[in-house]
Amino acid sequence: MSASTSPLIHLIDDDEAVRSALALLIGTVGLRVQAWADPQAFLRDFDRQSIGAIVLDVRMPGISGLAVLETLVAEGVDHPIIMLTGNGTVETCRRAFKSGAAEFLEKPVDDEALLDALQKAVRDHVRSRERNAADRDARERYAQLSEREREVLGLIVAGLTNKEIGRALNVSPRTVETHRANLFAKLEAESLAQVIRRYAALVEGRV
Protein backbone atom coordinates (compact mmCIF):
# COMPACT_ATOMS: atom_id res chain seq x y z
CA MET A 1 0.00 0.00 0.00
CA SER A 2 1.53 3.33 -1.08
CA ALA A 3 1.62 6.39 1.16
CA SER A 4 -1.14 7.99 -0.90
CA THR A 5 -3.48 5.00 -0.43
CA SER A 6 -2.53 3.96 3.12
CA PRO A 7 -5.03 4.82 5.86
CA LEU A 8 -5.16 8.50 6.77
CA ILE A 9 -6.56 9.89 10.01
CA HIS A 10 -8.21 13.30 9.74
CA LEU A 11 -7.85 15.10 13.07
CA ILE A 12 -10.05 18.18 13.53
CA ASP A 13 -9.54 20.25 16.67
CA ASP A 14 -9.12 24.00 17.08
CA ASP A 15 -6.71 23.54 20.03
CA GLU A 16 -3.18 23.50 18.62
CA ALA A 17 -1.72 21.75 21.67
CA VAL A 18 -4.29 18.96 21.43
CA ARG A 19 -3.73 18.57 17.68
CA SER A 20 0.01 18.28 18.11
CA ALA A 21 -0.23 15.80 20.99
CA LEU A 22 -2.81 13.57 19.29
CA ALA A 23 -1.05 13.66 15.93
CA LEU A 24 2.15 12.51 17.65
CA LEU A 25 0.26 9.77 19.51
CA ILE A 26 -1.53 8.47 16.40
CA GLY A 27 1.75 8.41 14.47
CA THR A 28 3.20 5.98 17.03
CA VAL A 29 1.05 3.16 15.61
CA GLY A 30 2.07 3.89 12.01
CA LEU A 31 -1.04 5.76 10.93
CA ARG A 32 -0.74 8.90 8.82
CA VAL A 33 -2.41 12.02 10.22
CA GLN A 34 -3.74 15.14 8.57
CA ALA A 35 -4.55 17.77 11.22
CA TRP A 36 -7.13 20.49 10.66
CA ALA A 37 -7.66 23.57 12.84
CA ASP A 38 -10.65 24.82 10.86
CA PRO A 39 -13.65 22.47 10.49
CA GLN A 40 -14.96 24.50 7.55
CA ALA A 41 -11.68 24.03 5.68
CA PHE A 42 -11.84 20.31 6.46
CA LEU A 43 -15.39 20.02 5.09
CA ARG A 44 -14.31 21.87 1.96
CA ASP A 45 -11.03 20.13 1.21
CA PHE A 46 -10.76 16.65 2.67
CA ASP A 47 -10.51 13.72 0.27
CA ARG A 48 -13.73 11.71 0.64
CA GLN A 49 -12.24 8.81 -1.33
CA SER A 50 -9.42 8.32 1.16
CA ILE A 51 -9.30 5.32 3.50
CA GLY A 52 -9.14 5.95 7.22
CA ALA A 53 -11.10 7.63 9.98
CA ILE A 54 -12.01 11.03 11.37
CA VAL A 55 -11.30 12.32 14.89
CA LEU A 56 -13.55 15.27 15.60
CA ASP A 57 -13.72 17.61 18.60
CA VAL A 58 -17.26 18.47 19.69
CA ARG A 59 -16.73 22.07 20.78
CA MET A 60 -15.17 24.35 18.15
CA PRO A 61 -15.78 27.98 17.16
CA GLY A 62 -17.94 28.67 14.13
CA ILE A 63 -19.36 25.18 13.68
CA SER A 64 -19.65 22.45 16.28
CA GLY A 65 -18.27 18.98 15.87
CA LEU A 66 -21.79 17.58 16.01
CA ALA A 67 -22.80 19.83 13.09
CA VAL A 68 -19.75 18.63 11.15
CA LEU A 69 -20.68 15.02 11.94
CA GLU A 70 -24.25 15.55 10.73
CA THR A 71 -23.01 17.26 7.55
CA LEU A 72 -20.66 14.37 6.75
CA VAL A 73 -23.39 11.78 7.33
CA ALA A 74 -25.83 13.77 5.17
CA GLU A 75 -23.21 13.78 2.38
CA GLY A 76 -22.90 10.00 2.59
CA VAL A 77 -19.30 10.08 3.83
CA ASP A 78 -18.49 6.54 4.98
CA HIS A 79 -15.47 7.23 7.20
CA PRO A 80 -15.87 6.08 10.82
CA ILE A 81 -16.01 9.18 13.04
CA ILE A 82 -14.68 9.32 16.60
CA MET A 83 -15.97 12.25 18.64
CA LEU A 84 -13.89 13.89 21.40
CA THR A 85 -15.18 16.24 24.07
CA GLY A 86 -13.98 17.90 27.24
CA ASN A 87 -17.52 18.70 28.31
CA GLY A 88 -19.51 15.59 27.55
CA THR A 89 -23.12 15.22 28.55
CA VAL A 90 -25.49 12.33 28.15
CA GLU A 91 -27.46 14.35 25.60
CA THR A 92 -24.33 15.18 23.57
CA CYS A 93 -23.27 11.54 23.61
CA ARG A 94 -26.76 10.39 22.64
CA ARG A 95 -26.92 12.88 19.76
CA ALA A 96 -23.46 11.87 18.51
CA PHE A 97 -24.29 8.16 18.36
CA LYS A 98 -27.73 8.83 16.92
CA SER A 99 -26.06 10.91 14.19
CA GLY A 100 -23.69 8.11 13.26
CA ALA A 101 -20.55 8.48 15.39
CA ALA A 102 -18.50 5.29 15.72
CA GLU A 103 -17.11 6.22 19.14
CA PHE A 104 -17.40 8.97 21.75
CA LEU A 105 -14.42 9.68 24.03
CA GLU A 106 -13.90 12.25 26.77
CA LYS A 107 -10.84 14.49 27.14
CA PRO A 108 -8.28 14.07 28.46
CA VAL A 109 -8.30 11.10 26.11
CA ASP A 110 -7.04 7.75 27.30
CA ASP A 111 -4.25 6.99 24.81
CA GLU A 112 -4.96 3.28 24.55
CA ALA A 113 -8.70 3.82 24.19
CA LEU A 114 -8.18 6.26 21.32
CA LEU A 115 -5.64 4.10 19.52
CA ASP A 116 -7.79 0.98 19.91
CA ALA A 117 -10.82 2.87 18.58
CA LEU A 118 -8.83 4.26 15.65
CA GLN A 119 -7.32 0.94 14.64
CA LYS A 120 -10.73 -0.73 14.78
CA ALA A 121 -12.24 2.15 12.78
CA VAL A 122 -9.59 1.82 10.08
CA ARG A 123 -10.04 -1.96 9.86
CA ASP A 124 -13.83 -1.52 9.60
CA HIS A 125 -13.45 1.14 6.90
CA VAL A 126 -11.08 -0.99 4.80
CA ARG A 127 -13.44 -3.99 5.05
CA SER A 128 -16.44 -1.81 4.20
CA ARG A 129 -14.75 -0.39 1.09
CA GLU A 130 -13.66 -3.91 0.00
CA ARG A 131 -17.18 -5.25 0.55
CA ASN A 132 -18.71 -2.38 -1.43
CA ALA A 133 -16.22 -2.93 -4.29
CA ALA A 134 -17.05 -6.66 -4.35
CA ASP A 135 -20.79 -5.88 -4.40
CA ARG A 136 -20.34 -3.47 -7.34
CA ASP A 137 -18.29 -6.07 -9.21
CA ALA A 138 -20.97 -8.75 -8.59
CA ARG A 139 -23.73 -6.43 -9.84
CA GLU A 140 -21.77 -5.61 -12.99
CA ARG A 141 -21.16 -9.29 -13.75
CA TYR A 142 -24.78 -10.22 -12.97
CA ALA A 143 -25.95 -7.53 -15.41
CA GLN A 144 -24.07 -9.34 -18.20
CA LEU A 145 -26.24 -12.48 -17.87
CA SER A 146 -29.06 -13.17 -20.30
CA GLU A 147 -32.60 -13.55 -18.96
CA ARG A 148 -32.38 -17.35 -19.30
CA GLU A 149 -29.00 -17.44 -17.55
CA ARG A 150 -30.50 -15.47 -14.66
CA GLU A 151 -33.34 -18.00 -14.44
CA VAL A 152 -30.82 -20.85 -14.33
CA LEU A 153 -28.75 -19.01 -11.72
CA GLY A 154 -31.84 -18.47 -9.57
CA LEU A 155 -32.64 -22.18 -9.66
CA ILE A 156 -29.00 -23.11 -8.92
CA VAL A 157 -29.10 -20.83 -5.87
CA ALA A 158 -32.41 -22.50 -4.87
CA GLY A 159 -30.55 -25.81 -4.78
CA LEU A 160 -31.98 -27.56 -7.87
CA THR A 161 -29.96 -30.06 -9.88
CA ASN A 162 -29.47 -29.75 -13.65
CA LYS A 163 -32.25 -32.28 -14.23
CA GLU A 164 -34.63 -30.42 -11.92
CA ILE A 165 -33.76 -27.10 -13.58
CA GLY A 166 -34.37 -28.67 -17.01
CA ARG A 167 -37.81 -29.83 -15.91
CA ALA A 168 -38.62 -26.43 -14.38
CA LEU A 169 -37.64 -24.57 -17.57
CA ASN A 170 -38.81 -27.28 -19.97
CA VAL A 171 -35.36 -27.70 -21.55
CA SER A 172 -32.91 -30.58 -21.68
CA PRO A 173 -30.25 -31.10 -19.01
CA ARG A 174 -27.62 -30.56 -21.73
CA THR A 175 -29.09 -27.11 -22.45
CA VAL A 176 -29.00 -26.36 -18.73
CA GLU A 177 -25.34 -27.39 -18.67
CA THR A 178 -24.62 -24.97 -21.51
CA HIS A 179 -26.36 -22.08 -19.71
CA ARG A 180 -24.59 -23.04 -16.50
CA ALA A 181 -21.17 -23.02 -18.17
CA ASN A 182 -21.89 -19.67 -19.81
CA LEU A 183 -23.04 -18.00 -16.60
CA PHE A 184 -20.09 -19.39 -14.65
CA ALA A 185 -17.77 -17.89 -17.31
CA LYS A 186 -19.51 -14.49 -17.21
CA LEU A 187 -19.44 -14.43 -13.42
CA GLU A 188 -15.81 -15.65 -13.45
CA ALA A 189 -16.83 -18.23 -10.84
CA GLU A 190 -14.78 -21.37 -10.28
CA SER A 191 -17.15 -23.33 -8.07
CA LEU A 192 -20.79 -23.68 -7.07
CA ALA A 193 -19.92 -22.53 -3.56
CA GLN A 194 -18.40 -19.34 -4.96
CA VAL A 195 -21.51 -18.63 -7.05
CA ILE A 196 -23.84 -19.10 -4.08
CA ARG A 197 -21.64 -17.07 -1.73
CA ARG A 198 -21.34 -14.12 -4.11
CA TYR A 199 -24.75 -14.10 -5.80
CA ALA A 200 -27.40 -15.67 -3.54
CA ALA A 201 -28.28 -12.38 -1.83
CA LEU A 202 -28.39 -10.57 -5.20
CA VAL A 203 -30.56 -13.23 -6.85
CA GLU A 204 -32.91 -13.31 -3.89
CA GLY A 205 -33.18 -9.51 -3.85
CA ARG A 206 -31.66 -9.17 -0.40
CA VAL A 207 -29.11 -6.52 -1.54
Side-chain angles (χ1 to χ4, degrees):
M1 189 175 289
S2 67
S4 61
T5 58
S6 63
L8 175 63
I9 306 303
H10 296 276
L11 171 62
I12 306 99
D13 196 310
D14 62 302
D15 187 320
E16 183 177 357
V18 171
R19 286 199 312 276
S20 298
L22 292 184
L24 187 63
L25 172 68
I26 295 167
T28 62
V29 291
L31 292 169
R32 296 187 300 136
V33 183
Q34 184 171 4
W36 305 78
D38 181 356
Q40 299 283 12
F42 163 74
L43 285 173
R44 184 183 64 239
D45 296 335
F46 106 96
D47 179 6
R48 286 148 173 79
Q49 299 305 312
S50 63
I51 294 284
I54 296 169
V55 179
L56 184 58
D57 188 33
V58 169
R59 181 169 292 183
M60 292 182 288
I63 179 172
S64 72
L66 288 172
V68 174
L69 166 67
E70 289 163 357
T71 298
L72 293 171
V73 171
E75 290 180 359
V77 170
D78 64 351
H79 291 62
I81 301 172
I82 296 170
M83 304 297 296
L84 303 182
T85 182
N87 302 282
T89 64
V90 172
E91 173 56 24
T92 303
C93 183
R94 185 196 67 80
R95 182 178 166 189
F97 281 121
K98 188 175 181 181
S99 297
E103 187 56 90
F104 188 93
L105 300 174
E106 290 193 70
K107 294 179 178 176
V109 178
D110 179 273
D111 291 356
E112 290 302 318
L114 176 60
L115 293 178
D116 287 348
L118 273 175
Q119 290 174 313
K120 179 182 184 303
V122 168
R123 287 195 301 272
D124 289 347
H125 197 215
V126 169
R127 281 197 288 264
S128 172
R129 286 286 179 89
E130 290 175 344
R131 190 166 52 249
N132 290 340
D135 287 345
R136 283 196 302 274
D137 181 68
R139 289 180 187 280
E140 290 172 1
R141 295 187 188 287
Y142 183 74
Q144 297 174 14
L145 301 182
S146 68
E147 184 175 345
R148 178 60 90 186
E149 288 164 349
R150 291 185 189 187
E151 289 178 317
V152 172
L153 177 58
L155 295 171
I156 289 173
V157 168
L160 275 64
T161 65
N162 283 357
K163 287 184 179 179
E164 291 169 332
I165 293 172
R167 284 196 293 273
L169 299 179
N170 197 28
V171 297
S172 69
R174 183 175 295 278
T175 299
V176 174
E177 288 176 6
T178 300
H179 288 310
R180 185 180 177 122
N182 289 340
L183 74 88
F184 267 59
K186 290 181 180 178
L187 300 179
E188 294 191 4
E190 298 176 352
S191 68
L192 177 60
Q194 192 179 62
V195 165
I196 293 174
R197 185 175 64 251
R198 287 184 180 175
Y199 295 97
L202 185 60
V203 169
E204 295 168 353
R206 290 186 278 115
V207 295

